[in-house]
Amino acid sequence: MDSRNEATGRVEHTVGDNDAVIIVDHGSRRQESNLMLNEFVAMFKARTGYHIVEPAHMELAEPSIRDAFKLCVQEGAKRVIVSPFFLFPGRHWQQDIPSLVADASKEHSGISYVITAPLGLHGLLVDVVNDRINHCLSHVAGDADECTACAGTGKCRIYQP
Amino acid sequence: MDSRNEATGRVEHTVGDNDAVIIVDHGSRRQESNLMLNEFVAMFKARTGYHIVEPAHMELAEPSIRDAFKLCVQEGAKRVIVSPFFLFPGRHWQQDIPSLVADASKEHSGISYVITAPLGLHGLLVDVVNDRINHCLSHVAGDADECTACAGTGKCRIYQP
């Protein structure tokens, strides 16, 4: 199955077997943060069931967008969906990532790509923030464990100046 | 109602009438991105119904964390819940924001605060990313309008090198 349906000639608008998804974050000097992208990609792959999902970092860490793009093609992708893991649009989403993806794609003729929107104004994101707040308040009240982000840091507490 | 329940002496673990929420992003030189935080805060306030919710930028733009903290106290907050609008933990979440919040709180005796976790590894965030992808693919297939992030940019399209 190509992203263009052979019977109708239309571009498919769901993620198909010949599609790959690259989830790109900024990249950090802190390996802890880079590794979290891998965890997110694993969650994403498990929850969506998509065949080809790769992480990439825009800068500061490997794998690069170029590496991830190449890997997707090697895994059989005919179309690459680049999902910038950024909350709001900014220079990285406007310019840097499109430029890096365009460069990467030049090495693979016949492979089309799409770059998706930043995540910011999505109703479910309100629920994510609110859920973090409620979990944190439950923890400081003694009713819940620290979440994975705070575990072991001792940071999740009420500060009473 | 204080965040400590008068009858039980326990710290409440939901957001109460005397709590304020500050949603802090990094801050951008692009005003477009800073204004999106205001939109997110409006969505958040509408969806949660919390009384006091203020935006703040860690750097590069106003309002600062100090300004937002002061505003929350003026609005009647006895406890301030600082929610860093960041996907993964990094230096900003580990050090910079805690330091800025600690400084801000020194100007307001008797006001406690909590700093919550980054958003990253949350199941609903997978759905946010997947929803963005599906909307984008629907748009390039001609079945949906551009989303608000892409509207007018002409960027949301299939690139066929």
Side-chain angles (χ1 to χ4, degrees), chain A residues 10 13 30 47 50 85 87 94-95 112-113 118-119 122 125 127 130-132 137 143 155 159, chain B residues 10 13 30 47 50 85 87 94-95 112-113 118-119 122 125 127 130-132 137 143 155 159:
Chain A
R10 287 189 47 179
H13 56 274
R30 294 196 176 221
R47 195 156 164 142
Y50 298 153
F85 200 54
L87 288 164
Q94 300 268 9
Q95 296 169 18
S112 61
Y113 67 85
L119 311 177
H122 195 293
L125 206 55
D127 298 340
N130 197 25
D131 207 47
R132 288 291 182 220
L137 295 183
D143 286 346
K155 289 166 66 80
Y159 294 81
Chain B
R10 286 188 50 178
H13 56 277
R30 294 196 177 223
R47 196 156 164 140
Y50 299 154
F85 200 56
L87 289 163
Q94 301 268 10
Q95 296 169 17
S112 61
Y113 68 85
L119 311 177
H122 194 293
L125 207 55
D127 298 339
N130 197 26
D131 206 47
R132 288 293 182 218
L137 294 183
D143 286 347
K155 290 165 66 81
Y159 294 81

